[in-house]
Amino acid sequence: MEQGEAGSSPLAGEKAGEEEDDFGYRLFPDRKKPTQSFLVRSFFTFHNKCQLMLRMTLETNPYAQLLLEAMKQSGCTVFNDRHFSCENCDGCVSGGFDSATSQIVLCQNNIRHQSHMNRVVTHELIHAFDHCRAHVDWFKNVKHLACSEIRAANLSGDCTLMNEIARFKFGLKGHHQTCVRDRAIRSILAVRKVSKETAEKAVDEVFDACFNDLEPFGRIPHSRTDAKRAYRDFQNRDRYNANL
């Protein structure tokens, strides 16, 4: 789940006390509505803008391009019309990964500018990549969710210096790790009916292993330039492997 200016995670869950988890779907009300025709949706400015920004991200953003290539190499080719859906969401989220449909939800009412779209798409593609490459139990194992949230916060650009300054959060030593931990915990709490202590425990137990899992980037892409280098290295790695 990517929590941006409005505030996103895989939709799944477990029980807490007597209340059954709703899998996070309360944050994405359009998931339960009948699909509208393209003609009807095209009249809504938010939807048109969302589609245009999505196309721009997929065609030009190195973070997204690397993840799309990695998904394809893993046997999970991503198609724009099938795997992305622009919808209205709760005001606290920017996007989510619906593991039941293998679909990324983009919150058209909360994503207002291109840089935000770039970050949300990247964040959710990391969840999709994890879903593709591993047997992730989104619904019952909070540690699995925590691991993917750590990776998404670490590798998507959520915790870049500029983004943290924009949130009025400043730090020196270890600030990136602190940001990743905090955002992973926030994302879990947004879509799971678990206590803060449970979320913190899950994140802390898997943090080191998941923070150091840099696939498919091979490095933490702290900037667009870093992401371009990572994309180039990934392409070269594929060429090398193909020649073995």
Side-chain angles (χ1 to χ4, degrees), residues 220-239:
I220 298 175
H222 291 291
S223 66
R224 189 182 179 93
T225 300
D226 283 345
K228 286 181 178 179
R229 291 196 188 103
Y231 185 30
R232 184 174 63 247
D233 291 346
F234 181 83
Q235 291 175 311
N236 290 335
R237 179 175 63 181
D238 287 342
R239 293 192 188 101

Side-chain angles (χ1 to χ4, degrees), residues 99-119:
S99 59
T101 60
S102 296
Q103 197 168 46
I104 289 172
V105 183
L106 301 171
C107 298
Q108 60 192 19
N109 56 318
N110 294 330
I111 302 174
R112 304 297 174 81
H113 51 81
Q114 189 64 50
S115 62
H116 192 191
M117 175 64 79
N118 292 344
R119 195 165 69 251

Side-chain angles (χ1 to χ4, degrees), residues 85-100:
S85 179
C86 290
E87 302 176 9
N88 290 319
C89 308
D90 183 275
C92 72
V93 295
S94 301
F97 175 64
D98 188 343
S99 59

Side-chain angles (χ1 to χ4, degrees), residues 65-86:
Q65 289 175 323
L66 191 159
L67 284 159
L68 291 171
E69 186 67 25
M71 293 278 288
K72 184 177 181 180
Q73 292 291 330
S74 299
C76 300
T77 301
V78 176
F79 298 98
N80 187 341
D81 293 340
R82 163 65 180 88
H83 295 106
F84 294 93
S85 179
C86 290

Side-chain angles (χ1 to χ4, degrees), residues 129-150:
F129 176 75
D130 288 346
H131 185 68
C132 173
R133 70 168 180 157
H135 297 291
V136 183
D137 187 350
W138 303 109
F139 293 88
K140 295 181 180 179
N141 195 324
V142 70
K143 289 183 183 179
H144 285 194
L145 172 60
C147 187
S148 192
E149 291 296 357
I150 290 165

Side-chain angles (χ1 to χ4, degrees), residues 143-163:
K143 289 183 183 179
H144 285 194
L145 172 60
C147 187
S148 192
E149 291 296 357
I150 290 165
R151 282 176 32 76
N154 189 29
L155 301 173
S156 67
D158 288 352
C159 290
T160 61
L161 178 61
M162 294 307 297
N163 283 333

Side-chain angles (χ1 to χ4, degrees), residues 27-41:
L27 304 175
F28 304 89
D30 282 2
R31 294 271 87 189
K32 297 181 179 180
K33 295 179 181 178
T35 303
Q36 295 175 315
S37 70
F38 175 79
L39 183 61
V40 171
R41 288 184 285 118

